[in-house]
């Protein structure tokens, strides 16, 4: 799916470039010929300068095009800002966090349709990744990578286990049982529910998850996969299984299924700004929390 922002920038850049090309190939020669004729007739310097000047719309195109190209390249191919819209990745990422996403983390893409031009890295278990929502491709989601292609992901009684893909490997990798270590501190979710916090480690990545005791697993609403038990997910080729750190308050692969590799957008680098306060309040009632600014794990 095309990026509307990138498409808008291209629609500005394209006519500006056309103007610059037409001016360089044709209009410049017309101006030079007028100057030659004026000089031959003994015209004064002010008239010659006026005849040699570019039209305002050409100057506008020459001034604007380089900046538009720079914005297009940076935002479409290098980094892009992203605003956290929900509490699904609490406690690490919270509503109001403004993050910077690396667009080339999983491949260099062309700016309009985001097709991969050059493969770079592939997602690893424990990564936080931004991707297009399989249910609503116009919406970007951010979750943690849990299952890789070929993995079997099991989520039972709010505990996570992974049977890694075994591709002709002898012996096959052992099952990964993701342990949870309770923390003393708690949090209150955006809906007022108390959340218990636990430390998890996956693929060497340490992070904190939240569980809400008052909420039970909604396994009947889980994504249904043919010939597979409920709470068990077999990740297809070129797909990934994503989950939010706020386990009982996240719509993720448990519900909408797997995320295609082609829909990956990038990997968050850092929290650039964190704005706290009720979204319904005006700006002056909000505050900036500088303590949350920093790298994302």
């Amino acid at each position: 799916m095309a990026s509307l922002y990138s498409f808008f920038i291209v629609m500005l850049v394209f006519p500006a470039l056309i103007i610059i090309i037409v001016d360089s190939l044709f209009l410049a020669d017309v101006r030079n010929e007028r100057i030659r004729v004026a000089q031959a007739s003994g015209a004064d310097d002010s008239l010659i300068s006026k005849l040699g000047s570019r039209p305002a719309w050409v100057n506008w195109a020459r001034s604007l095009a380089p900046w538009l190209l720079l914005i297009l390249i940076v935002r479409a191919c290098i980094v892009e800002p992203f605003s956290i819209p929900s509490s699904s990745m609490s406690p690490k990422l919270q509503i109001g966090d403004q993050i910077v996403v690396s667009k080339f983390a999983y491949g260099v893409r062309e700016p309009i349709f985001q097709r991969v031009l050059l493969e770079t890295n592939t997602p690893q278990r424990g990564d936080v990744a931004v991707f297009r929502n399989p249910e609503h491709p116009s919406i970007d989601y951010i979750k943690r990578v849990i299952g890789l292609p070929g993995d079997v992901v099991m989520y039972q009684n709010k505990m996570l286990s992974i049977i890694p893909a075994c591709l002709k490997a002898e012996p096959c990798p052992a099952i990964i049982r993701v342990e949870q270590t309770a923390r003393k501190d708690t949090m209150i979710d955006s809906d007022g529910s108390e959340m218990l916090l636990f430390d998890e480690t996956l693929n060497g990545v340490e992070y904190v998850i939240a569980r809400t005791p008052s909420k039970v697993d909604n396994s009947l609403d889980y994504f249904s996969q043919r010939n597979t038990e409920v709470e068990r997910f077999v990740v297809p080729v070129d797909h990934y299984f994503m989950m939010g750190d706020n386990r009982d308050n996240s719509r993720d692969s448990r519900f909408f299924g797997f995320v295609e590799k082609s829909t990956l957008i990038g990997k968050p680098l850092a929290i650039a700004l964190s704005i706290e306060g009720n979204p319904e309040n005006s700006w002056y009632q909000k505050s900036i929390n500088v303590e949350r600014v920093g790298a994302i794990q």
Side-chain angles (χ1 to χ4, degrees):
M1 181 177 176
S3 166
L4 293 180
Y5 183 87
S6 296
F7 182 76
F8 174 74
I9 295 295
V10 169
M11 292 304 293
L12 291 177
V13 170
F14 185 73
L17 292 177
I18 293 297
I19 290 172
I20 293 172
I21 293 172
V22 170
D23 179 68
S24 300
L25 295 180
F26 304 105
L27 300 183
D29 290 340
V30 173
R31 290 194 298 272
N32 291 335
E33 179 61 21
R34 288 176 179 173
I35 292 173
R36 187 188 66 80
V37 172
Q39 288 174 334
S41 63
D44 58 35
D45 291 342
S46 61
L47 177 59
I48 292 175
S49 177
K50 183 177 180 180
L51 292 174
S53 62
R54 299 188 186 96
W57 48 276
V58 174
N59 288 330
W60 172 86
R62 285 181 172 273
S63 299
L64 190 61
W67 292 106
L68 290 175
L69 282 172
L70 180 61
I71 293 172
L72 182 65
I73 292 171
V74 169
R75 178 152 181 160
C77 305
I78 302 178
V79 294
E80 180 178 356
F82 183 84
S83 179
I84 301 300
S86 72
S87 63
S88 69
M89 284 296 291
S90 289
K92 182 58 183 177
L93 299 176
Q94 299 178 13
I95 297 173
D97 287 349
Q98 312 296 313
I99 66 175
V100 178
V101 178
S102 169
K103 297 296 291 289
F104 58 85
Y106 303 130
V108 178
R109 301 169 184 268
E110 51 85 13
I112 301 301
F113 296 99
Q114 294 292 291
R115 285 186 286 258
V116 176
L117 302 176
L118 177 65
E119 294 280 356
T120 52
N121 299 316
T122 57
Q124 301 298 311
R125 299 186 194 95
D127 282 1
V128 178
V130 177
F131 56 93
R132 292 195 292 275
N133 179 3
E135 296 176 305
H136 305 284
S138 62
I139 300 175
D140 296 340
Y141 265 20
I142 181 168
K143 307 289 180 185
R144 193 174 297 276
V145 180
I146 300 297
L148 305 181
D151 286 354
V152 178
V153 178
M154 295 171 288
Y155 189 71
Q156 300 168 324
N157 299 320
K158 301 190 179 184
M159 298 295 293
L160 181 64
S161 300
I162 304 168
I163 303 176
C166 184
L167 303 176
K168 300 180 180 179
E170 294 294 341
C172 287
I175 185 172
I176 301 171
R177 301 190 187 279
V178 184
E179 300 295 332
Q180 296 179 356
T181 304
R183 297 169 64 101
K184 295 181 179 180
D185 48 336
T186 62
M187 289 183 64
I188 301 299
D189 201 6
S190 56
D191 63 359
S193 302
E194 182 185 30
M195 300 188 299
L196 304 181
L197 303 182
F198 299 83
D199 290 318
E200 274 192 358
T201 302
L202 182 60
N203 192 36
V205 179
E206 299 178 0
Y207 52 92
V208 181
I209 70 158
R211 285 172 30 186
T212 307
S214 61
K215 296 183 179 180
V216 298
D217 284 348
N218 231 356
S219 58
L220 293 179
D221 292 334
Y222 281 179
F223 174 74
S224 178
Q225 193 174 15
R226 182 177 296 180
N227 300 324
T228 305
E229 300 173 11
V230 177
E231 301 177 333
R232 188 182 179 102
F233 310 87
V234 182
V235 186
V237 175
D238 290 334
H239 287 71
Y240 296 89
F241 189 90
M242 308 287 196
M243 289 182 67
D245 290 347
N246 190 350
R247 293 287 166 78
D248 296 313
N249 298 278
S250 172
R251 185 163 183 82
D252 47 41
S253 288
R254 291 171 293 177
F255 302 97
F256 56 62
F258 310 103
V259 173
E260 285 190 52
K261 181 180 180 180
S262 61
T263 65
L264 294 172
I265 293 174
K267 183 177 180 179
L269 296 176
I271 299 174
L273 182 68
S274 182
I275 302 174
E276 295 183 340
N278 191 324
E280 297 180 356
N281 289 344
S282 58
W283 170 258
Y284 68 87
Q285 293 173 301
K286 299 179 183 179
S287 61
I288 296 176
N289 186 349
V290 296
E291 294 181 356
R292 292 187 49 75
V293 174
I296 296 174
Q297 188 176 41

